[in-house]
Amino acid sequence: MTTQKSAVTEETFDKYESQVRSYCRNWPAMFDTAQGSWITDVDGKRYLDFFAGAGALNYGHNNPKFKEALIDYISRDGITHGLDMNTVAKGEFLQAFGEKILAPRDLDYVVQFPGPTGTNAVESALKLARKVTGREAVVNFTNAFHGMTLGSLSVTGNAMKRAGAGIPLVHSTPMPFDNYMGGAHEDFSWFERVLNDEGSGLNHPAAVIVETVQGEGGVNVARAEWLQGLAELCKRQDMLLIVDDVQMGCGRTGDFFSFEEAGIKPDIVTLSKSIGGYGLPMALTLFRRDLDVWEPGEHNGTFRGNNPSFVTAKAAIDTYWSDDSFAADTKRKGQLIADRFEELCKRNEGIKRRGRGMIQGLAFDDADKAGEACSKAFERGMLAETSGPSDEVIKLLPPLTLSDDELTQGMDILTESVEEALR
């Protein structure tokens, strides 16, 4: 790879781009090329990418197998923009997704293309749940993050992001996520009580929306038994269960869907980020066949038919999900990261590990130390971000395809950076 000489400077962004930009403030470099687990700046400095597009690059940058399929498709003038028209690319993706993802997991879902982003998928899920049940209320969980549009924000916990809406966010009620009360209260005791109490003031919900692992919320992991209890509660109380798998799906926790470990079958599932394989925009809303009550065109979007994404998404499924070997290797590498974090925690006070599969977090008692450690990692040539309500957690989202040597190199960098920050 060669870097491109350019007249663009930092002043270009200061002059033309909004103050809303964020990641570039933590990583002050001019990036130009990327391949696999590495991203390179215009000066030729390489960085190990343990951020992976916030989970949109599970298969690495410019995956060569996907790139070949994409170039071939573009070269033959394959359709780029197709709304919801029938195209070969969409049909081949649907066939691969149905045969290699849904059927082996006994999931009789239909697929909706709601638009290109995760929040589009969440918005359509909320609308569908309300349409099916005829109810308005939705239950979400503390520290949840579901997107930046109004419906998604209404079921998001982060106060700063909610405040950006500028209007009241209504028709949602937060409940405690697993272990939010530190084990002081029995799981769902409060939730079920207010559902059954005519004096609680809680309108009967249409649905419950949950992340099995809260990434933006601080890498909070729901236990399998907690998810099972939630699924049973939804069934008893006639509420639809929506699992937001935008960041944790597509193999991030090991299995293709993050809820597989719990053995549950949600009524509705949202996917985005890595479902497109190559980092191209794409989102899916999956739901039980009997819930498909949409009228034609009742929910649509101009860019729901991004055919290049269908091409790379199919390539990802064919390459990595034709058997169980990729999932097993992801779990193995996730355990390597967890083991390194556990060793680090034993040697140092004030930090503790969280995570599952290849979403791993390191929580700091002193929130400022998390950001300081990430800054030091950047200086050493590694990208890692913070999450949690106070940015107190280092969140690792490396490509699932990284090598063991790259994993070791990244963990060495992070270990040195954390221990320097803690001194």
Side-chain angles (χ1 to χ4, degrees):
M1 291 185 294
T2 58
T3 57
Q4 178 176 326
K5 298 300 182 183
S6 173
V8 174
T9 65
E10 184 66 34
E11 287 70 30
T12 302
F13 303 99
D14 290 337
K15 181 177 180 180
Y16 294 108
E17 192 176 4
S18 164
Q19 292 297 317
V20 77
R21 62 193 190 276
S22 60
Y23 289 115
C24 57
R25 301 180 190 278
N26 297 324
W27 302 322
M30 187 82 70
F31 297 111
D32 185 40
T33 61
Q35 211 288 315
S37 304
W38 296 88
I39 183 167
T40 305
D41 70 16
V42 291
D43 297 318
K45 182 174 180 179
R46 301 173 75 224
Y47 298 81
L48 255 179
D49 187 359
F50 272 47
F51 171 66
L57 295 165
N58 281 4
Y59 312 106
H61 293 272
N62 288 299
N63 188 297
K65 294 183 179 180
F66 309 168
K67 180 164 61 175
E68 181 180 0
L70 181 60
I71 290 172
D72 287 347
Y73 184 76
I74 293 171
S75 295
R76 70 173 185 84
D77 292 329
I79 292 171
T80 296
H81 183 273
L83 293 164
D84 68 356
M85 294 184 292
N86 292 339
T87 65
V88 171
K90 183 169 74 169
E92 290 181 346
F93 163 74
L94 284 169
Q95 190 168 37
F97 189 76
E99 293 176 357
K100 296 183 178 180
I101 302 299
L102 296 181
R105 294 160 179 82
D106 192 28
L107 297 171
D108 188 23
Y109 292 147
V110 294
V111 179
Q112 178 181 357
F113 300 100
T117 70
T119 197
N120 293 127
V122 171
E123 293 284 356
S124 64
L126 297 176
K127 286 173 64 174
L128 180 63
R130 288 169 171 142
K131 180 177 174 64
V132 167
T133 64
R135 306 180 212 131
E136 296 178 350
V138 174
V139 167
N140 59 298
F141 290 94
T142 50
N143 288 315
F145 179 80
H146 295 291
M148 297 297 286
T149 50
L150 291 180
S152 301
L153 272 179
S154 74
V155 290
T156 287
N158 185 283
M160 181 270 286
K161 291 181 171 60
R162 288 175 63 89
I167 61 171
L169 298 170
V170 296
H171 306 307
S172 63
T173 303
M175 290 290 168
F177 192 71
D178 190 13
N179 203 40
Y180 182 75
M181 305 298 288
H185 296 278
E186 184 182 351
D187 291 338
F188 308 120
S189 58
W190 168 251
F191 191 0
E192 190 142 33
R193 178 167 180 175
V194 297
L195 284 169
N196 292 327
D197 185 355
E198 294 294 331
S200 70
L202 177 66
N203 294 331
H204 194 73
V208 176
I209 185 167
V210 67
E211 303 154 276
T212 66
V213 182
Q214 295 180 327
E216 293 300 308
V219 194
N220 305 311
V221 180
R223 293 166 297 143
E225 54 266 34
W226 186 87
L227 292 167
Q228 292 161 2
L230 178 62
E232 291 165 4
L233 176 63
C234 287
K235 185 173 292 187
R236 286 198 307 274
Q237 295 286 348
D238 187 30
M239 303 179 297
L240 297 176
L241 176 60
I242 305 169
V243 169
D244 182 341
D245 237 4
V246 167
Q247 189 169 76
M248 297 305 148
C250 303
R252 177 52 58 182
T253 64
D255 300 312
F256 185 88
F257 295 108
S258 70
F259 54 81
E260 290 182 55
E261 181 180 86
I264 63 173
K265 292 183 179 180
D267 302 296
I268 304 174
V269 180
T270 62
L271 287 175
S272 187
K273 291 193 182 284
S274 280
I275 188 60
Y278 201 72
L280 298 175
M282 183 173 172
L284 309 179
T285 308
L286 315 175
F287 42 89
R288 290 184 355 229
R289 192 169 297 275
D290 60 297
L291 301 180
D292 192 9
V293 298
W294 291 118
E295 296 292 332
E298 189 173 7
H299 184 96
N300 57 26
T302 302
F303 291 100
R304 66 194 185 278
N306 186 5
N307 282 254
S309 294
F310 298 149
V311 171
T312 52
K314 178 184 181 298
I317 292 170
D318 291 343
T319 303
Y320 295 106
W321 297 103
S322 294
D323 56 36
D324 297 332
S325 58
F326 184 66
D329 197 51
T330 297
K331 293 175 184 178
R332 179 189 65 82
K333 285 186 281 195
Q335 189 59 52
L336 293 177
I337 299 173
D339 291 344
R340 288 292 301 267
F341 269 169
E342 292 292 352
E343 293 171 6
L344 186 59
C345 292
K346 287 178 183 177
R347 293 199 306 270
N348 299 275
E349 296 182 353
I351 53 175
K352 55 184 177 292
R353 183 194 71 84
R354 304 172 178 174
R356 180 157 72 90
M358 285 183 72
I359 166 67
Q360 295 288 332
L362 196 63
F364 287 70
D365 292 346
D366 182 348
D368 291 341
K369 296 295 184 181
E372 184 179 343
C374 284
S375 295
K376 294 182 181 301
F378 176 76
E379 293 170 3
R380 290 180 167 94
M382 175 181 171
L383 306 185
E385 70 165 336
T386 59
S387 69
S390 301
D391 285 321
E392 75 278 15
V393 179
I394 294 177
K395 180 176 71 171
L396 296 190
L397 291 165
L400 308 183
T401 52
L402 88 169
S403 68
D404 284 10
D405 286 345
E406 290 169 336
L407 189 154
T408 298
Q409 186 176 349
M411 295 309 296
D412 287 346
I413 290 173
L414 194 64
T415 297
E416 294 171 3
S417 301
V418 167
E419 292 190 326
E420 184 180 350
L422 291 173
R423 285 180 195 143

